[in-house]
Amino acid sequence: MNPVYKSGFSIANYHNVSDIYRQIEGLISQPIRPIHREEMEAYLQNFEKKYASSKPVIEQAMQYIPGGVQHNLAFNYPFPIVFDRAEGAYLYDKDGNRHIDFLQAGGPTVLGSNYPAVKEKILHLIEHTGPSTGLFHEYELKIARFICEHMPGVDMFRMLGSGTEACMAAIRVARLATGKKNIIKMGGGYHGWSDSLVYALRIPGTAGFDAHGIPRASRKYTQEAFPNDIKSLERRLRRNKLTGKGTAAVIVEPMGTESGTRPVDFEHNRQIRELCDRYGALLIFDEVVTAFRIGISGAQGYFGVKPDLTVFGKVVAGGYPAAGGLGGSRDLMEYLAAGLQTGKKRAMVGGTMAANPLSSAAGYYTLMEIKKQGACEKAGAAGDRLTQGLQKMISSMDLPFVAYNQGSICHLETTGTMFLPINMKKFWTIPKTLKEIKIRKHMMEEMGAAYMMEGIVTLAGSRMYTSMADTDEVIDEALEGFERVFKKMI
Ligand SMILES: Cc1ncc(COP(=O)(O)O)c(C=O)c1O
């Protein structure tokens, strides 16, 4: 069932989920269709020239930084680019090339980069207080109150240093509150890199496949259900009940794993809520991406489903450092009270830089501005324009691609898609699948490089976040860039 239009949200029309999965099935069954070799070679040659000043810096960085860059999202092919200016919809590199920014620092900048009204407040704060004191600053109250007033499932809010930390805190509180240990996540989902949550990453069904350097014991109580498959979740919950061990929590990204890359039916979250209630498990919404991007009341406001605990990150500090937090009902959040309370069990959390004045103020003013400017709706309209433009081109050029979006979160899956299933039970098929994944991953790296050459920064060539700064002109310019790339594939 599709919802009626709700104002104030990034999503105007909820997509048809079965149609998207059907199209993606079609992609998986096809051989890859990359950019024509000679055209790609030309891009790569020109890449060297266009980004001539970046290359020597990265070569030096390779000596001092593992892999040459500090941030997972900065691993661009054929080499990372040094960016030194960000403004509104654009990013500028060391050679002065202008790019349309659909990476958005991984999602936090719904207002566009370096939004002036927030920057001014931060500059004033730096002059007056500096970035941190370790003591209480009134901005902590301001941001907590704002979040509690706008997020349906949040009566109290604890600010932390990152989404990873906030996910750790969420499962700790859930285990303390329920007395159970098992945590169920959706296969393929990312909830940060803590020992117990590096489990079934990217590809559903892969369990501890990626958990290198993590003792088996750390993920003993982590389980996975399949994305958008309510029956697989119920099977897990039932099994946990029958063994007498129960389930502490189900943690999900409400738009679907990996920022909605694997989308969910509109009713899916409500069904999860019902199952959690029936089996006595807490429901944790990981809204690291969706909170204040889908709407000021998050995906929970959009779907009308109240989780027990909500994880925050990214937009909660408006693109400034130390972005994380946990919210929930008063009884649960009191497990996180600061200071030692003799005789009362509490979930230990901390962080020298957690809720520093800079992050608190940046988050507070960002949220105020998002609300005041209607930024979620504007960013969502830009995402719709981008996706519809891509869909039109895909259809007119008859390309084996799928474009879909949840407002300002846009996905462009090609034959380089990572939707390949790995069958862990048929272990003899794994090497062949891994080889296939490597080939597809390389195609995506090339796609990312081609978009970059056309002045568009994407997330791994397959995801684009739009912001309020993306006017119709910006989106149309981006579509022209995509078109130039697509023409090299027909
Ligand atoms: C859904 C989700 N949860 C958790 C995290 C981890 O957040 P952080 O990178 O702030 O640790 C991310 C990061 O991308 C995320 O997308």
Side-chain angles (χ1 to χ4, degrees), residues 359-389:
S359 312
S360 307
Y364 173 65
Y365 287 114
T366 298
L367 300 188
M368 295 267 285
E369 283 295 317
I370 287 178
K371 185 175 176 190
K372 189 166 133 200
Q373 306 294 339
C376 297
E377 272 175 298
K378 288 180 185 164
D384 284 347
R385 190 177 180 90
L386 177 64
T387 308
Q388 284 156 17

Side-chain angles (χ1 to χ4, degrees), residues 5 78 116 118 143 204 246 275 317 348 382 393 445 458 487:
Y5 175 73
V118 177
I143 184 167
L275 282 182
M348 169 62 198
M393 276 190 260
E445 285 170 350
T458 61
K487 280 190 171 156

Side-chain angles (χ1 to χ4, degrees), residues 162-164 167 190-192 253 286 288-289 314 323:
S162 67
T164 298
C167 288
Y190 179 64
H191 301 288
E253 274 190 88
D286 179 341
V288 165
V289 171
K314 302 194 192 269

Side-chain angles (χ1 to χ4, degrees), residues 43 47 50-51 76 81 83 89-91 97-103 386 390 393 412 447-461 463-465 470 474-486:
Y43 268 142
F47 198 99
K50 183 173 177 185
Y51 301 111
N76 292 309
I81 297 163
F83 284 95
Y90 299 108
L91 286 173
N97 300 303
R98 191 192 76 166
H99 302 76
I100 296 171
D101 175 15
F102 289 142
L103 177 62
L386 177 64
L390 290 170
M393 276 190 260
L412 176 60
M447 295 298 294
Y451 299 144
M452 191 74 86
M453 283 300 293
E454 298 295 353
I456 306 163
V457 183
T458 61
L459 196 162
R463 196 181 311 157
M464 287 83 66
Y465 293 111
D470 293 324
V474 173
I475 296 298
D476 292 348
E477 186 188 330
L479 286 169
E480 284 166 20
F482 280 110
E483 188 176 20
R484 285 192 292 275
V485 176
F486 290 175

Side-chain angles (χ1 to χ4, degrees), residues 7 92 210 262 284 293 330 339 488:
S7 66
Y92 300 83
D210 271 327
R262 292 174 194 265
I284 304 170
R293 173 168 284 282
R330 187 169 297 274
K488 297 182 192 334

Side-chain angles (χ1 to χ4, degrees), residues 126-445:
I126 297 278
E127 287 286 339
H128 195 73
T129 314
S132 63
T133 63
L135 295 170
F136 187 81
H137 194 289
E138 206 174 344
Y139 281 126
E140 291 171 49
L141 166 64
K142 289 185 172 177
I143 184 167
R145 187 164 53 203
F146 186 99
I147 290 174
C148 294
E149 282 170 1
H150 291 84
M151 297 290 291
V154 180
D155 299 334
M156 295 186 111
F157 172 73
R158 155 75 78 215
M159 197 151 180
L160 294 162
S162 67
T164 298
E165 291 177 26
C167 288
M168 288 163 62
I171 61 176
R172 192 165 296 171
V173 168
R175 284 172 169 159
L176 196 46
T178 59
K180 315 281 187 213
K181 295 193 184 87
N182 289 321
I183 303 290
I184 306 175
K185 70 178 287 269
M186 297 299 151
Y190 179 64
H191 301 288
W193 53 277
S194 66
D195 277 3
S196 53
L197 289 171
V198 174
Y199 189 81
L201 293 189
R202 300 229 59 185
I203 300 179
T206 50
F209 197 68
D210 271 327
H212 309 296
I214 300 175
R216 208 171 257 274
S218 302
R219 52 187 162 85
K220 186 173 170 195
Y221 300 105
T222 313
Q223 305 171 339
E224 64 173 314
F226 282 86
N228 200 37
D229 181 348
I230 201 72
K231 288 199 178 121
S232 84
L233 176 61
E234 179 153 26
R235 276 197 299 277
R236 279 275 174 213
L237 287 161
R238 199 181 312 123
R239 202 175 309 152
N240 290 346
K241 187 178 171 198
L242 290 174
T243 58
K245 297 196 170 118
T247 305
V250 175
I251 181 167
V252 298
E253 274 190 88
M255 278 294 155
T257 56
E258 294 199 283
S259 310
T261 302
R262 292 174 194 265
V264 293
D265 293 321
F266 189 76
E267 288 303 318
H268 190 62
N269 287 292
R270 190 177 305 283
Q271 292 168 339
I272 297 178
R273 173 76 272 177
E274 282 164 15
L275 282 182
C276 285
D277 292 343
R278 192 165 344 132
Y279 286 91
L282 298 191
L283 173 58
I284 304 170
F285 270 3
D286 179 341
E287 294 230 37
V288 165
V289 171
T290 49
F292 322 118
R293 173 168 284 282
I294 294 301
I296 208 74
S297 56
Q300 54 197 264
Y302 178 73
F303 287 117
V305 175
K306 209 163 144 181
D308 299 295
L309 290 165
T310 304
V311 174
F312 296 88
K314 302 194 192 269
V315 191
V316 85
Y320 286 79
L326 183 67
S329 58
R330 187 169 297 274
D331 56 326
L332 292 174
M333 291 304 290
E334 279 181 347
Y335 285 111
L336 292 172
L340 282 174
Q341 291 175 328
T342 320
K344 202 175 164 192
K345 285 188 181 171
R346 75 186 182 105
M348 169 62 198
V349 296
T352 305
M353 286 295 156
N356 63 75
L358 191 152
S359 312
S360 307
Y364 173 65
Y365 287 114
T366 298
L367 300 188
M368 295 267 285
E369 283 295 317
I370 287 178
K371 185 175 176 190
K372 189 166 133 200
Q373 306 294 339
C376 297
E377 272 175 298
K378 288 180 185 164
D384 284 347
R385 190 177 180 90
L386 177 64
T387 308
Q388 284 156 17
L390 290 170
Q391 285 166 340
K392 236 184 186 164
M393 276 190 260
I394 291 169
S395 147
S396 71
M397 294 188 207
D398 197 22
L399 288 165
F401 297 172
V402 189
Y404 52 101
N405 70 315
Q406 296 97 11
S408 58
I409 312 172
C410 307
H411 310 272
L412 176 60
E413 292 294 327
T414 67
T415 50
T417 185
M418 292 290 152
F419 269 77
L420 284 191
I422 289 190
N423 193 334
M424 301 298 280
K425 284 189 190 134
K426 291 187 185 165
F427 57 87
W428 57 93
T429 62
I430 296 176
K432 187 166 173 271
T433 314
L434 289 180
K435 206 171 147 200
E436 183 65 20
I437 286 175
K438 207 171 156 196
I439 294 168
R440 291 186 188 232
K441 187 164 177 284
H442 184 62
M443 174 182 160
M444 291 319 298
E445 285 170 350

